Amino acid sequence: DAGITQSPRHKVTETGTPVTLRCHQTENHRYMYWYRQDPGHGLRLIHYSYGVKDTDKGEVSDGYSVSRSKTEDFLLTLESATSSQTSVYFCAISQGQLEGTEAFFGQGTRLTVV
Amino acid sequence: AQSVTQPDIHITVSEGASLELRCNYSYGATPYLFWYVQSPGQGLQLLLKYFSGDTLVQGIKGFEAEFKRSQSSFNLRKPSVHWSDAAEYFCAVGARGNTPLVFGKGTRLSVIA
């Protein structure tokens, strides 16, 4: 299995509070991604990173921010959590699309906003 | 931009029966295509991938998929389903360059005795 660790694995938080999810990799892959998974929607891209301090928005980026200060860590922050952000969040990594390589996924973080 | 359609939300098959899960993609150039499987409470595991060359690709767990450019399809098949294959299956499309994978909405597979 690819060395990807997501933390926390489960979290319950209140509406309006900030939340940070962490993704840590030991593979030294250049690309890192945050997806959210919701019933009936599959996986939707939130943000991704193509290098340290290089990030870009995905399909559903509103209400989320990211940071990548080291190759191995990619943080996802919900600045003010809302109930619509209750979801399962997956981090993924890949060596790079130029090589056509696949993405490897973490185990997910289940976030509940009450 | 790429897009993926998985027409079947839920499929039920009998153990030992054959399986085909459908995937249609939209992309102007040659796509990179993937099938992932997700067991309950788990992350996604890659089953197989297509980049170029032979249009019939073999994957893990006895799965195969065939790329048909004329039909913009990449259907997943297995000749004999096992109860342990019950899971959710996702088709994804990628492209050259700095382009993240785009996923379909998934097909949930149930296996009955």
Side-chain angles (χ1 to χ4, degrees), chain B residues 67-84:
Chain B
F67 171 57
K68 293 185 177 180
R69 184 187 302 274
S70 62
Q71 299 177 19
S72 298
S73 68
F74 189 57
N75 294 348
L76 182 71
R77 301 193 295 249
K78 187 170 185 179
S80 178
V81 170
H82 187 262
W83 64 266
S84 60

Side-chain angles (χ1 to χ4, degrees), chain A residues 9-67:
Chain A
R9 292 293 313 279
H10 300 271
K11 185 171 182 65
V12 179
T13 192
E14 293 185 350
T15 299
T17 60
V19 176
T20 295
L21 309 183
R22 180 181 184 237
C23 178
H24 178 78
Q25 62 146 328
T26 57
E27 305 296 323
N28 200 35
H29 282 5
R30 179 182 175 189
Y31 291 84
M32 299 185 75
Y33 312 87
W34 279 107
Y35 288 88
R36 60 178 289 176
Q37 183 178 23
D38 304 288
H41 291 277
L43 281 88
R44 293 179 292 174
L45 182 68
I46 305 172
H47 282 279
Y48 66 103
S49 170
Y50 45 96
V52 173
K53 299 191 188 302
D54 292 324
T55 64
D56 206 348
K57 295 180 179 180
E59 176 188 359
V60 290
S61 60
D62 286 349
Y64 301 95
S65 62
V66 290
S67 66

Side-chain angles (χ1 to χ4, degrees), chain A residues 9 31 33 35 37 40-43 45 48 50 90 96-108 110, chain B residues 32 34 36 38 41-46 49 51 88 90 94-106:
Chain A
R9 292 293 313 279
Y31 291 84
Y33 312 87
Y35 288 88
Q37 183 178 23
H41 291 277
L43 281 88
L45 182 68
Y48 66 103
Y50 45 96
F90 285 98
Q97 292 302 313
L98 284 174
E99 292 76 34
T101 56
E102 64 268 30
F104 299 94
F105 283 80
Q107 293 298 296
R110 182 174 295 277
Chain B
Y32 300 144
F34 307 83
Y36 286 84
Q38 183 184 34
Q42 301 296 311
L44 280 72
Q45 180 185 20
L46 181 72
K49 59 187 178 184
F51 294 151
E88 188 144 23
F90 292 94
R96 284 190 176 275
N98 184 22
T99 306
L101 296 185
V102 174
F103 286 82
K105 295 183 178 181

